[in-house]
Amino acid sequence: MPFPIHRGRRLRSSEAMRSLVRETRLDPAQFVLPLFICPGEGVRREIGSMPGQYHLSVDEFVLECDEARGLGIGGVMLFGLPESKDELASGAYAEDGIVQRALRAARSQTRDLLLITDVCNCEYTSHGHCGFVKDGDVVNDVTLEWLSRTALSHARAGADIIAPSDMMDGRVGAIRKTLDENGFEQTPILSYAAKFASVFYGPFREAAESAPQFGDRRSYQMDPPNAREAMREIEQDLAEGADMVMVKPALAYLDLIHEARTRFDVPIAAYQVSGEYSMIMAAARNGWIDQERAMMETLVSIRRAGADFVLTYFAKDAARLLA
Ligand code: PBG
């Protein structure tokens, strides 16, 4: 309908009008807050590269879960900083590992906040790679055994959802099989299916102390220019038994979130990663951008592109604003 019969501005005239016709809304129940758990007690240490985010000891983590639940946030994603690291990532699958202890502590208190665990090895290996390294490369099939053990130990400790982020081939199938064989056939898998070798994980690697000591992750994480390959990864993870899939990072990959939404009728998650968070925080601290508006605009863009839920370090701030 051409002008002047049609005037787009009629429906933008007031907040009430805009709100009436708003197509996408944010709901804290669709946010997941990533948290970093460290050894010790009473520890709440701000992460240099991620202002407003903290290393939390288990007791502080439990308090954080209470706060998140109080704000109506859907879940938390647990990352662990182990006491020590080794070549076999043994801290990842130790029954009394840092994440396992945090799960047990939170589980006894929280029922209605989802505890989601990132299953990977890079925080636990001395070299910082996501699996068993031989001759300078990550050996896929040995790593699957570690991942399966880790996933099972998380399920036993009370994880609601298992989220493998390592990008080894066949890991969803391997984890599904191990969970099923051990009575955890009801535990869902959220696969980091389309995970790219991204510069935007930079601040996280300081936060999780997981930067690779040599080389990079390009032999397992995806090449940023590839969209069709991302769809193939998602398809394969679904065939192996993933219940939900993730696109990561979010903002630079909105096209893939949208494409995944149109192709696959499963819940799609997107991860607004550390670099996306820290860029906004840095610009805001310099007075160059409005933090709240940048936060809300990026979050709504991710939902508009087609993500059902969003992993975001802004979860608490955004939830407060929506309250
Ligand atoms: C573990 C993992 C990473 C992130 C989530 N899980 C780091 C990486 O792959 O290097 C990144 C999250 C973020 O940047 O916020 N493999």
Side-chain angles (χ1 to χ4, degrees), residues 34 36 50 77 79 118-123 128 130 163-167 192 195-205 208 210-212 217 220-221 246 248-249 271-277 313:
F36 300 96
M50 302 178 71
M77 173 73 90
F79 293 99
D118 180 274
V119 171
C120 196
N121 297 299
C122 57
E123 295 118 77
C130 299
S165 71
D166 52 284
M167 287 304 277
Y192 286 70
K195 173 170 174 177
F196 288 84
S198 171
V199 71
F200 296 111
Y201 308 151
F204 173 96
R205 291 184 187 165
S210 67
R217 302 206 204 292
Y220 39 105
Q221 297 179 350
M246 190 195 298
K248 176 186 174 199
Y271 198 144
Q272 182 178 47
V273 300
S274 56
E276 301 179 62
Y277 172 82
Y313 301 95

Coordinates of all heavy atoms in Angstrom, one line a residue, residues 34 36 50 77 79 118-123 128 130 163-167 192 195-205 208 210-212 217 220-221 246 248-249 271-277 313, ligand 1:
P34 N 25.8 -17.7 32.2 CA 27.0 -18.5 32.4 C 27.7 -18.1 33.7 O 27.8 -16.9 34.0 CB 27.8 -18.1 31.2 CG 26.9 -17.4 30.3 CD 25.9 -16.7 31.1
F36 N 31.2 -18.9 36.4 CA 32.5 -19.5 36.6 C 32.8 -19.9 38.0 O 32.8 -19.0 38.9 CB 33.6 -18.5 36.1 CG 33.4 -18.1 34.7 CD1 32.8 -16.9 34.4 CD2 33.9 -18.9 33.6 CE1 32.6 -16.5 33.0 CE2 33.8 -18.5 32.3 CZ 33.1 -17.3 32.0
M50 N 36.1 -9.2 31.9 CA 34.6 -9.2 31.8 C 34.0 -8.4 33.0 O 33.5 -9.1 34.0 CB 34.1 -10.6 31.8 CG 34.6 -11.4 30.6 SD 34.0 -13.1 30.6 CE 32.3 -12.9 30.2
M77 N 24.6 -21.7 33.3 CA 25.5 -22.6 32.6 C 26.8 -22.6 33.5 O 27.4 -21.6 33.7 CB 25.8 -22.1 31.2 CG 26.9 -22.8 30.5 SD 26.4 -24.4 29.9 CE 25.7 -24.0 28.3
F79 N 30.7 -23.3 34.4 CA 32.1 -23.5 33.9 C 32.9 -23.7 35.1 O 32.8 -22.9 36.1 CB 32.5 -22.3 33.1 CG 31.8 -22.2 31.8 CD1 30.8 -21.3 31.6 CD2 32.2 -23.0 30.7 CE1 30.1 -21.1 30.4 CE2 31.5 -22.8 29.5 CZ 30.5 -21.9 29.3
D118 N 28.5 -27.1 30.9 CA 29.3 -27.1 29.7 C 30.2 -28.3 29.8 O 31.0 -28.4 30.8 CB 30.1 -25.8 29.6 CG 31.0 -25.7 28.4 OD1 32.1 -26.2 28.5 OD2 30.6 -25.1 27.4
V119 N 30.2 -29.2 28.8 CA 31.0 -30.3 28.8 C 32.1 -30.1 27.8 O 31.9 -30.1 26.6 CB 30.2 -31.6 28.5 CG1 31.2 -32.8 28.3 CG2 29.2 -31.9 29.6
C120 N 33.3 -29.9 28.4 CA 34.5 -29.7 27.5 C 35.8 -29.9 28.4 O 35.7 -30.1 29.6 CB 34.5 -28.3 27.0 SG 35.7 -28.1 25.6
N121 N 36.9 -30.0 27.7 CA 38.1 -30.3 28.5 C 39.1 -29.1 28.6 O 40.1 -29.2 29.4 CB 38.8 -31.4 27.8 CG 38.0 -32.7 27.8 OD1 37.7 -33.2 28.9 ND2 37.6 -33.2 26.6
C122 N 38.9 -28.0 27.8 CA 39.9 -27.0 27.7 C 40.2 -26.3 29.1 O 41.3 -25.8 29.3 CB 39.6 -26.0 26.6 SG 38.0 -25.2 26.8
E123 N 39.2 -26.3 30.0 CA 39.5 -25.7 31.3 C 40.4 -26.6 32.2 O 40.9 -26.2 33.2 CB 38.2 -25.3 32.0 CG 37.4 -24.3 31.4 CD 36.0 -24.8 31.0 OE1 35.1 -25.0 31.9 OE2 35.8 -25.1 29.8
G128 N 45.5 -26.6 27.5 CA 44.3 -25.7 27.1 C 43.6 -26.1 25.9 O 42.7 -25.4 25.4
C130 N 40.9 -28.8 23.8 CA 39.6 -29.4 24.2 C 39.6 -30.9 24.3 O 38.6 -31.5 24.4 CB 38.5 -28.9 23.3 SG 38.3 -27.1 23.4
A163 N 25.6 -30.0 28.1 CA 25.8 -29.2 26.9 C 27.3 -29.3 26.4 O 28.2 -28.6 26.9 CB 25.5 -27.7 27.2
P164 N 27.6 -30.3 25.5 CA 28.9 -30.4 25.0 C 29.3 -29.3 24.1 O 28.6 -29.0 23.2 CB 28.9 -31.8 24.3 CG 27.4 -32.0 24.0 CD 26.6 -31.3 25.0
S165 N 30.5 -28.7 24.3 CA 31.0 -27.6 23.6 C 32.3 -27.8 22.9 O 32.9 -26.9 22.4 CB 31.1 -26.4 24.5 OG 32.2 -26.5 25.4
D166 N 32.8 -29.0 22.8 CA 34.1 -29.3 22.4 C 34.3 -29.4 20.9 O 35.4 -29.3 20.4 CB 34.5 -30.7 22.9 CG 33.4 -31.7 22.6 OD1 32.3 -31.6 23.2 OD2 33.6 -32.4 21.6
M167 N 33.2 -29.7 20.1 CA 33.3 -29.8 18.7 C 34.0 -31.0 18.2 O 34.5 -31.1 17.0 CB 33.8 -28.5 18.0 CG 32.8 -27.4 18.0 SD 31.1 -27.8 17.3 CE 31.5 -27.6 15.6
Y192 N 26.3 -27.7 21.5 CA 26.9 -26.5 20.8 C 27.2 -27.0 19.4 O 28.3 -27.4 19.1 CB 28.2 -26.1 21.5 CG 28.2 -25.5 22.8 CD1 27.9 -26.1 24.0 CD2 28.7 -24.2 22.9 CE1 27.9 -25.5 25.2 CE2 28.8 -23.5 24.2 CZ 28.4 -24.2 25.3 OH 28.5 -23.6 26.5
K195 N 29.4 -24.2 16.3 CA 30.3 -23.4 17.2 C 31.5 -23.1 16.3 O 32.3 -23.9 15.8 CB 30.7 -24.2 18.4 CG 31.8 -23.5 19.2 CD 32.0 -24.1 20.6 CE 33.2 -23.4 21.3 NZ 33.4 -24.0 22.6
F196 N 31.8 -21.8 16.2 CA 32.8 -21.3 15.3 C 34.1 -20.9 16.1 O 34.1 -20.6 17.2 CB 32.3 -20.1 14.6 CG 31.3 -20.4 13.5 CD1 29.9 -20.6 13.9 CD2 31.7 -20.7 12.2 CE1 29.0 -20.9 12.9 CE2 30.7 -21.1 11.3 CZ 29.4 -21.2 11.6
A197 N 35.2 -21.1 15.3 CA 36.5 -20.7 15.9 C 36.6 -19.2 15.9 O 37.0 -18.5 14.9 CB 37.6 -21.3 15.0
S198 N 36.1 -18.6 17.0 CA 35.8 -17.1 17.0 C 36.8 -16.3 17.8 O 37.1 -16.8 18.9 CB 34.4 -16.9 17.5 OG 34.1 -15.5 17.7
V199 N 37.1 -15.1 17.4 CA 37.9 -14.2 18.2 C 37.1 -13.7 19.4 O 37.7 -13.3 20.4 CB 38.4 -13.0 17.3 CG1 37.2 -12.1 17.0 CG2 39.5 -12.2 18.0
F200 N 35.8 -13.8 19.3 CA 35.0 -13.3 20.4 C 35.0 -14.1 21.7 O 34.3 -13.8 22.6 CB 33.5 -13.1 19.9 CG 33.4 -12.0 18.8 CD1 33.1 -12.4 17.5 CD2 33.7 -10.7 19.1 CE1 33.1 -11.4 16.5 CE2 33.6 -9.7 18.1 CZ 33.3 -10.1 16.8
Y201 N 35.7 -15.2 21.7 CA 35.8 -16.0 22.9 C 37.0 -15.5 23.8 O 37.3 -16.0 24.8 CB 36.1 -17.5 22.7 CG 35.1 -18.2 21.7 CD1 35.5 -19.3 21.0 CD2 33.8 -17.8 21.7 CE1 34.6 -19.9 20.1 CE2 32.9 -18.4 20.8 CZ 33.3 -19.4 20.0 OH 32.4 -20.1 19.2
G202 N 37.7 -14.5 23.3 CA 38.9 -14.0 23.9 C 38.8 -13.7 25.4 O 39.5 -14.3 26.2
P203 N 37.8 -12.9 25.8 CA 37.7 -12.6 27.3 C 37.4 -13.9 28.1 O 37.8 -14.0 29.2 CB 36.5 -11.6 27.3 CG 36.5 -11.0 25.9 CD 36.9 -12.1 25.0
F204 N 36.6 -14.8 27.5 CA 36.3 -16.0 28.2 C 37.5 -16.8 28.6 O 37.6 -17.4 29.6 CB 35.4 -16.9 27.4 CG 35.1 -18.3 27.9 CD1 33.9 -18.5 28.6 CD2 35.9 -19.3 27.7 CE1 33.6 -19.8 29.1 CE2 35.7 -20.6 28.2 CZ 34.5 -20.8 28.9
R205 N 38.5 -16.8 27.7 CA 39.7 -17.6 27.9 C 40.5 -17.1 29.1 O 41.1 -17.8 29.7 CB 40.5 -17.8 26.6 CG 39.7 -18.6 25.6 CD 40.4 -18.9 24.4 NE 39.5 -19.6 23.4 CZ 39.7 -19.8 22.2 NH1 40.8 -19.3 21.6 NH2 38.8 -20.4 21.4
A208 N 38.2 -18.3 32.1 CA 38.2 -19.7 32.3 C 39.6 -20.2 32.4 O 39.8 -21.4 32.6 CB 37.4 -20.5 31.3
S210 N 41.6 -20.8 30.0 CA 41.6 -21.9 29.1 C 42.2 -21.6 27.7 O 41.9 -22.3 26.7 CB 40.2 -22.4 28.9 OG 39.4 -21.4 28.2
A211 N 43.0 -20.6 27.6 CA 43.6 -20.3 26.3 C 44.6 -21.4 25.9 O 45.4 -21.9 26.7 CB 44.4 -19.0 26.4
P212 N 44.5 -21.9 24.7 CA 45.5 -22.9 24.3 C 46.9 -22.5 24.3 O 47.2 -21.3 24.0 CB 45.1 -23.2 22.8 CG 44.1 -22.2 22.4 CD 43.6 -21.5 23.6
R217 N 42.2 -23.4 17.9 CA 41.1 -24.4 17.9 C 40.5 -24.6 16.5 O 39.5 -25.2 16.3 CB 40.0 -24.0 18.8 CG 40.4 -23.8 20.3 CD 39.3 -24.0 21.2 NE 39.4 -23.4 22.5 CZ 40.3 -23.6 23.4 NH1 41.2 -24.6 23.2 NH2 40.3 -23.0 24.6
Y220 N 39.2 -28.0 15.1 CA 37.9 -28.6 15.5 C 36.7 -27.7 15.5 O 35.6 -28.1 15.2 CB 38.0 -29.4 16.9 CG 38.9 -28.7 18.0 CD1 38.3 -28.1 19.1 CD2 40.3 -28.8 17.9 CE1 39.1 -27.6 20.1 CE2 41.1 -28.3 18.9 CZ 40.5 -27.7 20.0 OH 41.3 -27.1 21.0
Q221 N 36.9 -26.4 15.9 CA 35.8 -25.4 15.8 C 35.7 -25.0 14.3 O 36.6 -25.1 13.6 CB 36.1 -24.2 16.7 CG 36.1 -24.7 18.2 CD 36.4 -23.5 19.1 OE1 36.7 -22.4 18.7 NE2 36.3 -23.8 20.4
M246 N 22.7 -25.3 19.5 CA 23.1 -23.9 19.7 C 23.9 -23.4 18.6 O 24.6 -24.1 17.9 CB 24.0 -23.9 21.0 CG 24.3 -22.5 21.5 SD 25.6 -22.6 22.7 CE 25.0 -23.6 24.0
K248 N 26.8 -20.4 18.0 CA 27.7 -19.6 18.9 C 28.9 -19.2 18.1 O 29.5 -20.0 17.4 CB 28.2 -20.5 20.0 CG 29.2 -20.0 20.9 CD 29.7 -21.0 21.9 CE 30.8 -20.3 22.7 NZ 31.6 -21.3 23.3
P249 N 29.3 -17.9 18.2 CA 28.6 -16.7 18.8 C 27.3 -16.4 18.2 O 26.8 -17.1 17.3 CB 29.6 -15.6 18.6 CG 30.9 -16.2 18.2 CD 30.5 -17.5 17.5
Y271 N 24.4 -18.3 21.8 CA 25.2 -17.8 22.9 C 25.8 -16.5 22.6 O 26.6 -16.4 21.7 CB 26.4 -18.9 23.1 CG 27.1 -18.9 24.4 CD1 27.6 -20.0 25.0 CD2 27.4 -17.7 25.1 CE1 28.3 -20.1 26.2 CE2 28.1 -17.7 26.3 CZ 28.5 -18.9 26.8 OH 29.3 -18.9 28.0
Q272 N 25.4 -15.5 23.3 CA 26.0 -14.1 23.2 C 27.3 -14.2 24.0 O 27.3 -14.2 25.3 CB 25.1 -13.1 23.8 CG 25.6 -11.7 23.7 CD 24.6 -10.6 24.2 OE1 24.1 -10.8 25.3 NE2 24.4 -9.6 23.5
V273 N 28.4 -14.4 23.4 CA 29.7 -14.8 24.1 C 30.4 -13.7 24.7 O 30.0 -12.5 24.6 CB 30.6 -15.6 23.1 CG1 29.9 -16.8 22.5 CG2 31.1 -14.7 22.0
S274 N 31.5 -14.0 25.4 CA 32.2 -13.1 26.2 C 32.6 -11.8 25.5 O 32.5 -10.7 26.0 CB 33.5 -13.8 26.8 OG 34.3 -14.3 25.8
G275 N 33.1 -12.0 24.2 CA 33.6 -10.8 23.5 C 32.4 -9.9 23.1 O 32.6 -8.7 23.1
E276 N 31.3 -10.5 22.9 CA 30.1 -9.6 22.6 C 29.7 -8.8 23.8 O 29.3 -7.6 23.7 CB 28.9 -10.5 22.2 CG 29.2 -11.4 20.9 CD 28.0 -12.2 20.6 OE1 26.9 -11.7 20.3 OE2 28.1 -13.5 20.6
Y277 N 29.8 -9.4 25.0 CA 29.6 -8.8 26.2 C 30.6 -7.7 26.5 O 30.3 -6.5 26.8 CB 29.6 -9.8 27.4 CG 29.5 -9.3 28.8 CD1 28.3 -8.9 29.3 CD2 30.6 -9.1 29.6 CE1 28.2 -8.4 30.6 CE2 30.6 -8.6 30.9 CZ 29.3 -8.3 31.4 OH 29.3 -7.8 32.7
Y313 N 25.7 -13.1 29.4 CA 26.3 -12.6 30.6 C 25.4 -11.4 31.1 O 25.6 -10.9 32.2 CB 27.7 -12.2 30.4 CG 28.6 -13.4 30.0 CD1 28.9 -13.6 28.7 CD2 29.1 -14.3 30.9 CE1 29.6 -14.7 28.3 CE2 29.8 -15.4 30.6 CZ 30.1 -15.6 29.2 OH 30.8 -16.7 28.8
Ligands
PBG1 C1 34.7 -24.4 26.0 C2 33.9 -23.1 25.8 C3 34.4 -21.8 25.3 C4 33.3 -21.0 25.4 C5 32.2 -21.7 25.9 N1 32.6 -23.0 26.1 C6 35.7 -21.4 24.9 C7 36.3 -21.9 23.7 O1 35.7 -22.7 22.9 O2 37.4 -21.5 23.4 C8 33.3 -19.5 25.1 C9 32.2 -18.7 25.8 C10 32.4 -17.3 25.7 O3 33.3 -16.7 25.0 O4 31.6 -16.6 26.4 N2 35.3 -24.9 24.9

